[in-house]
Amino acid sequence: MTNDPNETSQPTAGVPLTASLVARAASLAEAPLPDDVRELARQCVLDWAGVALAGANEPLSRILLAQAREDGGAPIASLVGTPLRLSVRQAALLNGAAGHAIDYDDANMAAQGHVTAAVLPAALAVGESRAASGDVLLRAFAAGYEMTGMVGQYLGRAHYERGFHGTATVGSFGAACAAAVLMALDRDSTAVALGIAGTQAGGMKAQFGTMCKPLHAGKANENGVTGAQLAARGFTGRADLLEAAQGFALATSPAPDAQAALAMPPGGTHLHNNLFKYHAACYGTHSSIEAVRTLCEAHQLTAADIERIDLDVEPGAQRMCDIVQPATGLQAKFSLRLNAALAVAGADTASPATYIDSTAQRPDLIALRERVAVHFMPDGWPLMQAAVRILTRDGRTLSARHDSGVPERDLARQRARLARKFMALAAPVVGPDRAAAIERAIGALDHIEDIGTLMSMLSQPTGTTS
């Protein structure tokens, strides 16, 4: 495709791209999910539930709730972490923001963002309002996830490098798709819903390190719900906004690629390439954390042993997680240097409680942070790979690599690891007994007749922090 603003993209003769994407996503929702896809979808729900419960009491979540209560609205859909109900649109917004508030939710490289936080809350809000079953919810989520991956591939990495946060932009299309499935829209109306959602979509990476980054996830869900709701009422909009002349792709990407959008992802679906986070920081820092920690543990290094740390990372990290002198806990999540220092210090980077203002301001961590040099490698470097070299004060140079962009293929092992993460996040909020009950319910989600049962478990905290 050229950059001609009057050009449209057609993947096959006479078939608009959006129609092709809707057909592929819908095929996931219209038949029973394969066992591995269903398990991956349940794992996404479990991971999101933990991070959303932990994020529901964050300052940004409280501000959004105060605004929603002032706005008013019909109490239809549950709000995670509180006994309150909001309108479907408001619940999608607030639950979406809560799920990204501590930046500990999953990611997908093809989708250029955090897919579950951008799609699942829309599906939950719409599904709860319609007493949808757990099986229908999982199918809708899988369809929305697939749409997000396809749109992300269509726009290409250049969309993200231009400064757009894919969680907000690409995620809006996935949320609209999931909501449309739950509302039983036909394929033509679903395409219009995507167009309505897309014309609202925005989100700038310049907001990383502020409350607006989690807001991006919330807005993706809200945009998707609004798109589906309005399309269902006959609201008009382009059914080909993605590929239209002066449409979404040509406005936000220098080289949209329809064939990339339609290419089969590894494993058969984009869900197969979901990446879960086990450090409560920007995903771009994870490979560095892992490699530094591996070297320190293998050679029993402490900060006193280290002269310098060199990190080789992808060039895009400079615009994603290169806050050089973080002053707050939120900024610390986006600092390669500070996270390398935390890894040396043996800090619990799996705990959101590590990422607080006092951590960013600790003199020992600042001193170590200043001995970290970040090198942004040429284009073509693997997106989530880090090469680490530690120069010790006794003259040794120790090296390690880690690639956090490789998904886990052992789903049972991944499930066990996610269960531990979930309990660590959820138990302080709802208590260990309810957290265990939620975990069991999500494990059997495809057998739940009405997802309102699960939402009621997530919406009334009983722990000490509620």
Side-chain angles (χ1 to χ4, degrees):
M1 174 177 281
T2 69
N3 290 332
D4 182 348
N6 295 312
E7 181 180 2
T8 61
S9 169
Q10 305 292 336
T12 57
V15 181
L17 174 65
T18 299
S20 297
L21 301 187
V22 168
R24 180 158 135 190
S27 68
L28 276 174
E30 292 169 354
L33 294 174
D35 290 346
D36 57 343
V37 175
R38 187 168 61 250
E39 171 61 14
L40 284 164
R42 286 194 301 255
Q43 290 183 10
C44 288
V45 176
L46 178 67
D47 190 62
W48 176 84
V51 295
L53 283 167
N57 200 41
E58 286 290 299
L60 69 95
S61 296
R62 294 197 299 269
I63 292 170
L64 290 172
L65 176 57
Q67 184 61 51
R69 296 181 77 168
E70 181 178 310
D71 292 344
I76 297 172
S78 301
L79 184 63
V80 171
T82 84
L84 301 176
R85 287 176 174 265
L86 303 172
S87 71
V88 173
R89 179 185 60 79
Q90 290 170 321
L93 170 67
L94 270 70
N95 285 336
H100 196 44
I102 61 173
D103 216 298
Y104 206 1
D105 48 311
D106 60 35
N108 184 290
M109 296 301 102
Q112 307 183 41
H114 301 262
V115 181
T116 302
V119 173
L120 181 62
L124 289 170
V126 174
E128 184 180 11
S129 73
R130 292 172 171 260
S133 70
D135 177 65
V136 170
L137 174 80
L138 290 173
R139 294 190 197 193
F141 171 67
Y145 196 112
E146 194 69 11
M147 179 63 70
T148 311
M150 292 187 292
V151 173
Q153 287 293 87
Y154 177 49
L155 299 177
R157 186 70 180 178
H159 174 77
Y160 189 83
E161 298 300 339
R162 278 191 168 190
F164 291 102
H165 185 199
T167 302
T169 53
V170 181
S172 293
F173 294 92
C177 180
V181 168
L182 285 154
M183 295 177 68
L185 300 189
D186 62 28
R187 294 186 181 185
D188 290 342
S189 295
T190 298
V192 172
L194 265 63
I196 298 171
T199 207
Q200 304 173 78
M204 303 295 105
K205 285 166 59 186
Q207 294 285 11
F208 284 14
T210 76
M211 291 181 180
C212 285
K213 186 173 188 280
L215 179 65
H216 292 169
K219 289 297 293 182
N221 287 283
E222 181 185 30
N223 294 341
V225 168
T226 300
Q229 288 177 331
L230 293 180
R233 293 181 180 274
F235 201 89
T236 63
R238 292 198 65 138
D240 64 347
L241 183 75
L242 271 169
E243 68 268 29
Q246 297 190 323
F248 193 85
L250 290 173
T252 66
S253 176
D257 186 343
Q259 296 309 313
L262 293 168
M264 190 63 65
T269 73
H270 287 289
L271 249 176
H272 282 94
N273 300 288
N274 188 69
L275 300 169
F276 291 104
K277 297 177 75 169
Y278 301 106
H279 303 286
C282 174
Y283 204 78
T285 69
H286 287 208
S287 289
S288 296
I289 292 171
E290 293 284 352
V292 169
R293 182 165 292 161
T294 295
L295 286 174
C296 289
E297 291 177 351
H299 299 277
Q300 298 183 321
L301 299 178
T302 68
D305 300 315
I306 295 174
E307 182 69 29
R308 189 180 74 247
I309 300 175
D310 289 286
L311 308 178
D312 295 343
V313 297
E314 60 150 321
Q318 190 168 19
R319 295 177 295 277
M320 177 172 56
C321 50
D322 188 39
I323 296 180
V324 178
Q325 297 178 327
T328 68
L330 190 54
Q331 290 178 348
K333 292 173 179 283
F334 300 92
S335 174
L336 281 159
R337 292 166 177 81
L338 183 63
N339 277 285
L342 289 169
V344 173
D348 184 7
T349 51
S351 172
T354 296
Y355 293 91
I356 57 178
D357 294 357
S358 59
T359 298
Q361 297 162 12
R362 272 175 49 185
D364 62 319
L365 292 175
I366 292 173
L368 185 53
R369 182 195 75 194
E370 295 301 314
R371 303 204 297 273
V372 178
V374 179
H375 309 282
F376 300 103
M377 306 307 286
D379 290 341
W381 184 268
L383 289 180
M384 289 296 145
Q385 185 178 111
V388 173
R389 295 176 301 283
I390 296 180
L391 176 64
T392 66
R393 285 180 170 160
D394 61 9
R396 292 174 293 163
T397 299
L398 308 172
S399 302
R401 286 177 180 256
H402 189 84
D403 191 342
S404 291
V406 179
E408 173 67 72
R409 295 308 181 197
D410 186 333
L411 297 188
R413 181 166 59 190
Q414 180 166 269
R415 177 67 172 76
R417 195 174 184 184
L418 289 171
R420 291 192 295 271
K421 175 183 172 183
F422 172 78
M423 290 300 294
L425 293 171
V429 181
V430 300
D433 290 343
R434 179 172 288 182
I438 293 170
E439 182 194 345
R440 290 193 298 271
I442 293 173
L445 183 56
D446 38 330
H447 301 295
I448 292 179
E449 294 184 1
D450 182 345
I451 63 166
T453 302
L454 173 63
M455 295 310 295
S456 67
M457 299 171 72
L458 290 169
S459 64
Q460 297 182 21
T462 59
T464 58
T465 62
S466 63

XYZ file of all heavy atoms in Angstrom, residues 24 43 122 194 220 251 278-279 291 328 364 392 395 414:
105
model
N -13.650 -13.388 10.133
C -12.704 -14.272 10.829
C -12.934 -14.240 12.335
O -12.933 -15.284 12.999
C -11.274 -13.870 10.512
C -10.249 -14.754 11.209
C -8.934 -14.691 10.489
N -7.838 -14.548 11.448
C -6.592 -14.272 11.112
N -6.293 -14.058 9.839
N -5.650 -14.177 12.023
N -7.527 -18.077 31.268
C -6.340 -17.547 31.931
C -6.283 -16.025 31.827
O -5.890 -15.341 32.785
C -5.079 -18.182 31.348
C -4.924 -19.651 31.706
C -3.643 -20.264 31.181
O -2.755 -19.579 30.695
N -3.531 -21.586 31.292
N -15.390 -4.539 28.457
C -16.547 -4.268 27.594
C -17.419 -5.507 27.486
O -18.654 -5.436 27.586
C -16.078 -3.822 26.213
N -17.559 -1.250 14.597
C -16.114 -1.007 14.581
C -15.806 0.404 14.096
O -14.917 1.083 14.635
C -15.416 -2.033 13.685
C -14.839 -3.271 14.373
C -15.925 -4.111 15.039
C -14.059 -4.123 13.380
N -10.886 2.471 25.515
C -11.068 1.453 24.482
C -12.357 0.677 24.729
O -13.158 0.446 23.808
C -9.869 0.511 24.461
N -4.718 7.425 8.354
C -4.512 8.590 9.217
C -3.494 8.324 10.316
O -2.893 9.255 10.851
C -5.842 9.017 9.842
N 4.811 -10.962 34.840
C 5.139 -11.436 36.185
C 6.009 -10.429 36.936
O 6.521 -10.731 38.010
C 5.820 -12.803 36.107
C 4.942 -13.826 35.426
C 5.214 -14.247 34.125
C 3.811 -14.338 36.060
C 4.384 -15.172 33.493
C 2.982 -15.254 35.432
C 3.276 -15.669 34.149
O 2.446 -16.565 33.516
N 6.166 -9.259 36.353
C 6.781 -8.123 37.032
C 5.798 -6.957 36.889
O 5.225 -6.760 35.822
C 8.127 -7.744 36.410
C 9.112 -8.871 36.386
N 9.760 -9.310 37.511
C 9.535 -9.666 35.367
C 10.560 -10.313 37.189
N 10.438 -10.555 35.902
N 17.224 -10.919 32.876
C 18.630 -11.170 32.575
C 19.543 -10.682 33.690
O 20.500 -11.368 34.078
C 19.002 -10.506 31.250
N 8.519 9.063 40.744
C 7.330 8.483 41.362
C 7.288 6.984 41.108
O 7.987 6.456 40.229
C 6.051 9.113 40.790
O 5.907 8.708 39.409
C 6.097 10.631 40.861
N 20.112 4.469 47.544
C 20.917 3.344 47.065
C 20.505 2.918 45.665
O 21.352 2.587 44.821
C 20.818 2.169 48.043
C 19.400 1.627 48.173
O 18.453 2.446 48.228
O 19.236 0.388 48.223
N 32.043 -6.119 36.544
C 32.239 -6.147 37.993
C 33.478 -5.346 38.376
O 34.358 -5.072 37.559
C 32.397 -7.588 38.496
O 33.613 -8.134 37.975
C 31.220 -8.452 38.074
N 36.858 -6.772 37.609
C 37.300 -6.874 36.225
C 36.587 -7.882 35.362
O 36.894 -8.017 34.173
N 1.711 -22.442 33.016
C 1.303 -21.040 33.004
C 0.111 -20.821 33.927
O 0.051 -19.816 34.653
C 0.953 -20.623 31.578
C 0.510 -19.175 31.445
C 0.510 -18.736 29.998
O 1.498 -18.229 29.502
N -0.614 -18.932 29.301
